[in-house]
């Protein structure tokens, strides 16, 4: 089994984003932001966090919260591509 498959299999049975608290989602985002090099000074402000949480719940609510970390691990490993973030994080 490849590492990617193992990551997503581990996430598959976990708690869904729609069932997670804002704090759980924000903690997960904090981890992935650090992993991709978002500097503390560029972390989302409170109003930006609200918009980001609404977007994540609307678009990905049925997915397990661990899938956020799994997706960013794949990004970091070069398995998937994403737009350049320029040390900022947004929807």
């Amino acid at each position: 089994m490849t590492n990617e498959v193992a990551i997503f299999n581990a996430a598959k049975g976990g708690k869904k984003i729609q069932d997670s608290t804002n704090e759980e989602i924000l903690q997960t985002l904090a981890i992935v932001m650090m992993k991709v090099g978002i500097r503390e000074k560029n972390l989302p402000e409170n109003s930006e966090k609200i918009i980001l949480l609404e977007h994540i719940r609307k678009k990905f609510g049925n997915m397990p919260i661990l899938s956020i970390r799994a997706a960013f691990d794949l990004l970091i490993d070069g398995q998937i591509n994403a737009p350049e973030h320029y040390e900022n994080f947004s929807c």
Side-chain angles (χ1 to χ4, degrees):
M1 180 179 332
T2 66
N3 187 40
E4 305 88 52
V5 174
I7 289 169
F8 276 101
N9 281 339
K12 195 167 44 176
K15 187 176 191 178
K16 291 187 177 189
I17 291 170
Q18 66 191 10
D19 299 327
S20 301
T21 66
N22 286 349
E23 189 59 35
E24 289 171 322
I25 298 169
L26 290 172
Q27 286 174 350
T28 300
L29 292 176
I31 291 167
V32 299
M33 287 181 205
M34 285 192 289
K35 283 184 165 187
V36 298
I38 306 296
R39 297 176 190 247
E40 187 172 349
K41 67 179 181 166
N42 295 338
L43 292 176
E45 300 284 330
N46 285 336
S47 58
E48 295 168 323
K49 287 178 187 177
I50 292 168
I51 293 168
L52 187 56
L53 287 169
E54 287 176 359
H55 178 78
I56 290 170
R57 286 185 190 283
K58 180 180 178 184
K59 296 293 258 183
F60 307 107
N62 287 324
M63 296 182 72
I65 192 167
L66 290 176
S67 65
I68 296 171
R69 289 179 68 172
F72 278 89
D73 285 345
L74 292 176
L75 173 69
I76 292 164
D77 291 343
Q79 300 296 313
I80 58 174
N81 296 317
E84 181 60 48
H85 58 75
Y86 303 106
E87 297 180 8
N88 291 301
F89 197 90
S90 69
C91 298

